[in-house]
Amino acid sequence: MLQGLGVGEQDECVYVELLRRRRATADDLSTVVQLPVEAVTEALTRLAGLGLATGDDAGLYNAVPPDVGLGTLVVQHQSTLQQAQRRLAELTDVYRTGAASAMSEVEALTTPEELATWVDNIERGAKQELLAFFRPPYVLDGDLEVTTDVPSYRFVYERSAMEDPRTPAEIARFLAGGYQIRLVNELPSKMIVMDRQIVLLPMLPDQTGIDPGFLLVRGQSLVRLLVDLFERVWQVATPLQLSATSLVEGGPAWDDFDIKLLTYLLSGMPDKSAAARLGTSERTVQRRIKRLMELSGTDSRMQLAWYAARSGLIAS
């Protein structure tokens, strides 16, 4: 528990027993903690060095109260962490202003080694979400690793990617890992987005290899623009689901009632008026809209209507 403060597990055990007794010798503590006297003596020496105990020439040690001894260690470590954070900020400025990143907001990656390093950094560095467009041909041999450390993974595959026999198995692994996967007929480009802060994409939309290179984008305006592009594609893409034996394309089970309801919704008609037109209650209308939002993976009525229109289910 105290290893982060430099107190080892064995030392902590000795310290706890010393706290109980207030004062003791290594011999006194040896039997209780079930350690050799020599090991206890070494632990007491380390505790004294950390300010958690005091000893005299006779080998009698007194415990320093935790709020004093540990409190001091906490303050020291906080100070060290603050110094490290300041140094981190300084080094980040050096990197951003250095010759290797003269473009600052957009950096060119022109070698397989650079690209592989940044793909790995993005995968491991994501804390909130990872978004990606996948379209063939794939430039790197390695795939993004399936993990559950990040709250949200959303990937969109171009339909042509399904021609590769490895792709369904890859998507199945992602779905089993809790990822959200969708399919679209055509994607504008390959792309990976980390935490809405960093975007990696090829220099050319139809690029088939490393050349002429990839772009690492960190400028807020550019990143926001690319995230908006992802969200627009995501809303019209078809959700993929994992059945007992294969991948299944999901999507709303639209019936005539739903199509009429969505037509009224797209026209801006209030729920009460739509219910009257459909010969049902306002609560039923609201319940059906909620169900359609869940089926289509949308978060608002506007997104639902836009999804239905773009999918060709109702006239836009």
Side-chain angles (χ1 to χ4, degrees):
M1 294 291 290
L2 300 179
Q3 292 180 0
L5 297 177
V7 182
E9 184 177 349
Q10 186 170 286
D11 297 346
E12 182 178 349
C13 182
V14 173
Y15 180 55
V16 170
E17 289 303 324
L18 185 59
L19 287 173
R20 289 195 177 103
R21 296 167 179 261
R22 300 295 179 91
R23 61 176 58 189
T25 64
D27 289 332
D28 297 331
L29 298 173
S30 176
T31 302
V32 181
V33 299
Q34 297 182 343
L35 290 171
V37 175
E38 294 78 7
V40 175
T41 301
E42 293 174 359
L44 288 168
T45 301
R46 287 191 293 268
L47 291 171
L50 291 170
L52 299 178
T54 59
D56 58 24
D57 295 337
L60 182 64
Y61 284 83
N62 293 281
V64 174
D67 56 341
V68 177
L70 290 176
T72 300
L73 285 179
V74 169
V75 171
Q76 291 174 349
H77 278 70
Q78 286 176 335
S79 176
T80 300
L81 179 60
Q82 290 171 352
Q83 291 175 5
Q85 289 174 327
R86 286 194 293 268
R87 185 57 176 162
L88 171 62
E90 293 171 358
L91 294 176
T92 300
D93 288 339
V94 170
Y95 174 76
R96 287 176 177 172
T97 58
S101 58
M103 295 179 68
S104 185
E105 293 188 349
V106 180
E107 180 178 348
L109 309 178
T110 57
T111 68
E113 293 77 16
E114 287 179 319
L115 179 59
T117 296
W118 269 105
V119 169
D120 184 65
N121 288 342
I122 288 173
E123 176 191 344
R124 296 178 183 276
K127 303 299 181 186
Q128 299 300 322
E129 68 175 357
L130 201 64
L131 315 175
F133 284 162
F134 289 105
R135 61 179 301 195
Y138 298 128
V139 175
L140 296 176
D141 292 334
D143 298 322
L144 290 177
E145 182 181 353
V146 177
T147 68
T148 56
D149 297 334
V150 179
S152 175
Y153 288 89
R154 289 189 289 153
F155 296 166
V156 180
Y157 280 77
E158 185 172 286
R159 191 173 293 276
S160 61
M162 303 300 288
E163 297 173 4
D164 187 327
R166 298 170 297 178
T167 301
E170 177 183 80
I171 293 176
R173 286 192 302 112
F174 287 148
L175 290 171
Y179 293 29
Q180 297 181 66
I181 309 293
R182 294 192 177 186
L183 194 67
V184 73
N185 287 338
E186 185 176 359
L187 285 172
S189 174
K190 301 177 178 68
M191 185 170 70
I192 303 175
V193 184
M194 184 196 84
D195 292 342
R196 305 191 175 219
Q197 296 178 357
I198 295 177
V199 179
L200 181 65
L201 72 164
M203 290 186 181
L204 302 177
D206 297 322
Q207 191 168 311
T208 59
I210 294 293
D211 296 328
F214 277 64
L215 297 176
L216 187 70
V217 181
R218 283 172 287 198
Q220 289 186 0
S221 296
L222 291 174
V223 169
R224 183 179 301 173
L225 181 65
L226 293 168
V227 170
D228 286 346
L229 170 63
F230 177 90
E231 295 294 354
R232 288 177 181 271
V233 173
W234 177 261
Q235 290 302 327
V236 298
T238 302
L240 289 179
Q241 301 169 357
L242 187 61
S243 71
T245 58
S246 63
L247 295 175
V248 178
E249 292 191 29
W254 312 99
D255 57 23
D256 291 341
F257 183 97
D258 296 328
I259 293 173
K260 290 179 181 178
L261 173 58
L262 288 167
T263 302
Y264 297 150
L265 177 64
L266 191 64
S267 69
M269 185 178 295
D271 290 354
K272 187 174 183 179
S273 300
R277 290 281 189 94
L278 293 167
T280 188
S281 67
E282 186 175 356
R283 173 172 288 186
T284 297
V285 165
Q286 293 170 349
R287 185 168 59 249
R288 291 293 287 260
I289 290 175
K290 182 180 179 181
R291 169 181 168 273
L292 292 176
M293 287 172 59
E294 291 173 350
L295 287 172
S296 62
T298 54
D299 299 321
S300 68
R301 292 184 174 207
M302 182 177 294
Q303 289 178 356
L304 173 61
W306 187 71
Y307 177 95
R310 289 296 299 270
S311 300
L313 294 165
I314 59 176
S316 57

